[in-house]
Amino acid sequence: MSTMTDALNTYRSGPDDHGHFGLFGGRYVAETLMPLILDLEQAYNEAKSDPAFQAELDSLNTHYSGRPSPLYFAERLTEHFAGAKIYFKRDELNHTGSHKINNCLGQIQLAKRMGKTRIIAETGAGQHGVAVATVAARFGLPCEIYMGATDIERQKPNVFRMRLLGAKVNPVTSGSGTLKDAMNDALRDWVANVHDTFYIIGTVAGPHPYPAMVRDFQSVIGKETREQMMEREGRLPDTLVACIGGGSNAMGLFHAFLDDRSVKIYGVEAGGHGLDVPNGHAASMTGGEPGVLHGNRTYLLQDDDGQILEGHSISAGLDYPGVGPEHSWLKDSGRVTYVAVTDKEALAAFQLCTKLEGIIPALEPSHALAHVQKIAPQLSKDNLLVMNMCGRGDKDIFAVAEHLSMEM
Amino acid sequence: MTRIDQTFAKLKAEGRGGLVTFITAGDPDYDTSLSLLKGLPGAGADIVELGMPFSDPMADGPAIQASSLRALKAGQTMKKTLAMVRDFRTENTSTPIVLMGYYNPIYVYGVDRFVTDASEAGVDGLIIVDMPPEEDEELRPVTAERALNFIRLATPTTDERRLPAVLANTSGFVYYVSIAGITGTAAPDVSSVGAHVARIKAHTDLPIAIGFGVKTPEQVRDLAALAEGVVVGSALVATIGSTLDENERATAETKPKLLGLVEYLSEPLRRRAEAPAI
């Protein structure tokens, strides 16, 4: 096989030099930000090829975050579904309780390398905000987190955590006061403070180089999974399942396997009240159209006039009207299958996992588990299935109690 | 020559800078907005920037975002924005109109269809805030075919390395963003703006209009001395906002207050024009 054929047959070489994944991605930002985005790209490329940068990140992942996260055989769920052999990649066991720390450790290292002295970030459910506040505390940089006023109300424990960690939490009241508005305001802060500020974006979206950079920092999930599965079963998994909001945990798991055609890959979006309910879901790919928002072209929830819709999900972490551009490209190329599950299905999976495995999952991976529940019974017993347990559910118990009409 | 080129030639002949005024199409409702648009040239606007409302105007400050959301709430769409320009052109064929906004509503409308419809409606130029030179290949060449000016923003962060790329293929005028920030926030520092404008002028013969944070006639006077035009936006839409009733509907004050402000801001430019030539 020639190198040329290899190049054409890989799903792992994107983006191109301009940050495009086929039609998607790019750098749709105001001119004020352009020079900064170009500087960031250059700094990241230099860091990537510096062994000292990677060594420092590996050390932090091991000793601060607790990596590698275990690959756990979910025996009772496997028995219950009576089909595929189900493994969880336990990224909820990381320091701060989700996969978000993987990316934040990488970006704060880069911020320091670039001589930036101030950190900003957006957050929806607060998991990314907590991870940013954590690394900012650890590296002694002042930090401001933009969070929608609506989300502040529904995620009080995380707001308190961020404040304890020394971060300033700025309530965002513009628009509808949720994640997309928080991202707008973080971008506005960045435009006004470009000289000293580093913006830690929490997902595989935003202008190039963020989608590729966040993916690279998260791809430790898939690399570990590969090694751990080889060790446990002597071969690659057959099926991967992960939930998708912006899509960083999914990209992190999928990327190492994209060129292994035998591996069937599913991304699970938030179907909310159902894809047929107008503005009642947060499934950008299975229920949206391509458009341009927050610096990149990707599938978006939008109306006929190109105005962005709010969307809805029981999970604040999936409640984003866009998705990482690499996912949009993987969808159109057919390599990954994207599906949606509803709030109700996710809530049922949340309870099932808690009762059968003694693991309280976040509502985000509960969506992934709800899809596992649909496909596992149809798969053979030797089908090795890995689901990314990307976050723990402690933050969600209040919302779940409300949805189940239970007293706390 | 486009209407924009003609306007700057006329301003040059008159020996004065031009006032570029921004309002959002459909704010606070279609009929009021059209009436404001029609009144702007008489009040002293030399060029009108008409905002295409977008739900997520991330480079704009609170005043322009609020005006965008008011327009959308009142049912403004891209079709209606183009209709508003057509209606304006039935009685005004000389004042240039520049549509300003974000790419997504254009992309969803369809690039070819948008450029054709905009050109036929009487639009003279486009400013697409989130479309840097690196991403404009699917829109800019199409605008050139229809003789629409493609106006780019240069900012304090646009350094010497980038300036040639930003100026290449820019036409009509260069919009110099006077602060590193969002619209309508900090006031520009005249001396630093002067240095930046001189830097841009070393690279281009195009007229330059300075905007972001302009609120007073004194600023208009000082900035007009540095360039060919001054843009006022947030101050105007904030004034529209301040005249609305509790349900965000226009009142009897809306039109006189807005046009009064435009007259007040344009005064130093007109005074300069009326002064005897030396």
Side-chain angles (χ1 to χ4, degrees), chain A residues 64-144:
Chain A
Y64 189 64
S65 188
R67 301 208 73 91
S69 67
L71 184 68
Y72 163 76
F73 172 42
E75 197 174 349
R76 294 199 68 209
L77 275 171
T78 300
E79 276 171 25
H80 183 77
F81 295 146
K85 189 171 183 182
I86 297 164
Y87 283 89
F88 288 164
K89 179 62 173 163
R90 300 285 307 273
D91 253 54
E92 101 280 14
L93 293 178
N94 296 334
H95 181 40
T96 72
S98 81
H99 70 290
K100 293 293 186 189
I101 192 82
N102 305 333
N103 167 46
C104 291
L105 284 171
Q107 288 200 47
I108 197 122
Q109 288 291 104
L110 192 58
K112 282 175 63 88
R113 197 183 160 95
M114 292 177 75
K116 301 293 181 186
T117 54
R118 176 175 176 266
I119 300 295
I120 58 166
E122 85 296 338
T123 194
Q127 290 306 94
H128 175 56
V130 167
V132 172
T134 298
V135 299
R138 167 67 182 75
F139 289 95
L141 294 176
C143 162
E144 292 188 34

Side-chain angles (χ1 to χ4, degrees), chain B residues 54-128:
Chain B
F54 182 47
S55 53
D56 293 79
M58 61 198 188
D60 285 298
I64 289 181
Q65 177 162 26
S67 80
S68 222
L69 296 181
R70 287 195 297 264
L72 292 174
K73 206 171 144 201
Q76 189 70 10
T77 59
M78 186 64 89
K79 263 190 180 165
K80 288 186 182 176
T81 298
L82 295 173
M84 192 173 281
V85 177
R86 266 197 306 275
D87 206 328
F88 174 80
R89 280 281 169 253
T90 58
E91 48 186 77
N92 180 317
T93 54
S94 60
T95 306
I97 291 196
V98 175
L99 290 183
M100 181 162 184
Y102 295 78
Y103 184 43
N104 197 52
I106 293 174
Y107 178 63
V108 169
Y109 191 92
V111 166
D112 288 340
R113 184 177 153 225
F114 170 77
V115 172
T116 305
D117 291 358
S119 163
E120 282 169 6
V123 171
D124 304 290
L126 296 179
I127 300 176
I128 313 301

